[in-house]
Structure formats: structure tokens, C-alpha cells
Amino acid sequence: MIPISPIFTKSKEILIELSVLLDEERQALGKQDNHLILSLAEKKQALLDEMNTLNDKRINLLIKFDVLDRKDPTEQDFKDWLKDQDSSLDEVRLLMKECEELLKVCKTKNNTNAQILSTLQKRNKQLFELMQGHNNKNKVYTSRGSTRPISSKQTLGRA
């Protein structure tokens, strides 16, 4: 039997911890606590690095036991193999399903936090421009579709 269950158990623990961190990040974004946001970002990165390491370990283990192709290991090949196994791997199936569900929750939370951060950045940019004395009439569009103030360097001429 392939000792893969501990890898999925650890992945599940990491995903639960990541979900909690994403909730904390949303609260920190609401409070605009920059130090906490940076601290949480570092913790998130450490968890993601650990998750990547576990995934590499899982793939190497499955290659070692000839479950996955060495040249082109895919997640679908593993899922297909897992379907064909007997009930001794039911725990792995359950853990994998739980990890997939937790991953979806984390992705949703992360996208929500990204939208909040984007909104905060736009608001801060507008406040900064107001403090500099720019108004909405003196703006041009950038290549990305956002706006920025016109500076005298970009002016072709004045009447």
C-alpha cells in the first residue's frame, strides 16, 4: 500500500490554517492594518510553500510506485487510478475530496480579499491625487485602462 494518507492529512491541516489566515487577512484589510497585512502575507506564503513541497512529495511518491508517468504526471491520472482501487483507500478518497473542497473555499476567500485590496488601492490613489490637487478633467487613460493625472511632460502644447 502507498503511504499517501499522511500527505493528504497534512495538506488538509494546511488548507484549514490557510482558510483561517484568509479570514484574518480580510479583517486586517477592513482595519487597514498594514503591519498585520504584511505579517499575514508572509504566513500565507510559508503555508503555500509548504503545500507545494507536500505536492511535490506526493507526486514523487506516486511516480516511485508507478502510479503516475515520470514524464507527464497529471492529477487526472491519479484520480483515475484511485477510482480503480479497492476500499482500503477510502480514507485517501475522503481526504482528497475534503482537500479539494477546502481549496475551493480558500480560492474564493483569496479572490474576495484581492477585490477588497484592489478597491482600497484605487481609493487611496484617488485620495492621493486629490491631495496633489488633480481633478477628474486632467486625466488620461493608461494602457491598462486605468487613469492617471496629466503631467506637463506629456502635454504637447498649450494655447
Side-chain angles (χ1 to χ4, degrees):
M1 189 164 127
I2 302 172
I4 198 161
S5 183
I7 293 174
F8 278 107
T9 302
K10 183 65 178 169
S11 294
K12 180 181 171 184
E13 292 169 4
I14 291 171
L15 288 168
I16 290 169
E17 193 174 343
L18 184 60
S19 179
V20 170
L21 274 179
L22 289 165
D23 289 336
E24 291 175 13
E25 183 182 53
R26 187 175 60 245
Q27 292 173 357
L29 287 168
K31 295 176 186 173
Q32 297 184 18
D33 185 345
N34 295 335
H35 296 293
L36 182 57
I37 292 169
L38 290 174
S39 170
L40 291 171
E42 290 172 4
K43 289 178 184 177
K44 276 185 2 183
Q45 188 60 51
L47 287 175
L48 291 173
D49 290 343
E50 189 175 354
M51 196 71 177
N52 286 334
T53 301
L54 276 175
N55 195 43
D56 290 343
K57 184 177 179 181
R58 179 180 63 93
I59 289 171
N60 289 332
L61 185 67
L62 292 170
I63 289 172
K64 180 180 175 183
F65 282 90
D66 290 326
V67 173
L68 296 179
D69 182 26
R70 288 186 185 283
K71 295 177 184 172
D72 187 29
T74 66
E75 193 69 26
Q76 191 58 47
D77 288 343
F78 172 64
K79 288 179 181 180
D80 292 342
W81 174 84
L82 193 58
K83 279 183 194 175
D84 296 336
Q85 302 308 304
D86 61 14
S87 62
S88 65
L89 289 174
D90 281 349
E91 180 187 3
V92 173
R93 286 184 192 93
L94 180 63
L95 284 168
M96 187 172 158
K97 183 178 178 187
E98 290 172 345
C99 286
E100 287 176 344
E101 289 170 3
L102 282 167
L103 184 61
K104 286 179 186 176
V105 168
C106 288
K107 285 181 178 182
T108 301
K109 288 180 179 183
N110 194 51
N111 287 337
T112 300
N113 290 353
Q115 289 173 341
I116 292 169
L117 183 60
S118 176
T119 301
L120 289 172
Q121 287 174 333
K122 287 176 186 175
R123 189 189 75 199
N124 288 342
K125 180 182 173 189
Q126 288 173 340
L127 289 173
F128 182 69
E129 289 173 358
L130 280 174
M131 290 173 58
Q132 288 182 323
H134 299 289
N135 63 25
N136 286 336
K137 292 180 182 178
N138 296 333
K139 291 189 177 189
V140 294
Y141 285 99
T142 66
S143 60
R144 293 182 179 216
S146 60
T147 59
R148 66 176 170 80
I150 297 174
S151 76
S152 60
K153 294 177 184 172
Q154 283 101 19
T155 304
L156 295 174
R158 293 185 186 243

